[in-house]
């Protein structure tokens, strides 16, 4: 049921950005365009951060995206001088 509805959004992969009780914010991974959809339109088991391709969860792309985000966060991290705590 959700696959056909999400296919209407286009062929580009989507990332689930925010899940609420009845709605979800999804973002096209190729251009960053965001839209809100009814949560029931997502594939069963979809979570924030998941990537959806052709209306189905794509675990490989989801994991690749998580690794990329972790790598970029680590690159931006500023080391604290010894003895300084935040």
């Amino acid at each position: 049921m959700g696959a056909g509805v999400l296919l209407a959004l286009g062929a580009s992969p989507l990332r689930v950005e925010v899940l609420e009780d009845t709605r979800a914010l999804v973002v096209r991974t190729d251009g960053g365009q965001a839209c809100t959809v009814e949560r029931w339109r997502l594939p069963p088991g979809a979570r924030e951060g998941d990537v959806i391709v052709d209306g189905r969860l794509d675990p490989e792309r989801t994991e690749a995206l998580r690794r990329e985000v972790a790598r970029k966060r680590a690159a931006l991290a500023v080391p604290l001088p010894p003895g300084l705590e935040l």
Side-chain angles (χ1 to χ4, degrees), residues 36-49:
T36 303
V37 297
E38 297 298 320
R39 190 168 176 170
W40 62 265
R41 294 181 178 200
L42 298 177
R47 300 174 304 163
E48 289 180 355

Side-chain angles (χ1 to χ4, degrees), residues 1-82:
M1 172 157 54
V5 175
L6 283 176
L7 283 174
L9 294 174
S12 67
L14 303 169
R15 183 180 70 246
V16 179
E17 206 50 42
V18 178
L19 286 176
E20 297 177 346
D21 290 335
T22 60
R23 298 184 147 234
L25 178 68
V26 296
V27 178
R28 292 180 195 271
T29 60
D30 64 351
Q33 181 183 9
C35 66
T36 303
V37 297
E38 297 298 320
R39 190 168 176 170
W40 62 265
R41 294 181 178 200
L42 298 177
R47 300 174 304 163
E48 289 180 355
D50 283 347
V51 176
I52 300 170
V53 178
D54 294 330
R56 287 174 278 199
L57 295 174
D58 188 327
E60 291 82 20
R61 287 188 189 197
T62 298
E63 185 55 34
L65 179 63
R66 287 188 177 132
R67 283 193 307 269
E68 180 182 345
V69 168
R71 182 183 58 76
K72 286 183 179 182
R73 283 184 178 161
L76 293 172
V78 177
L80 294 176

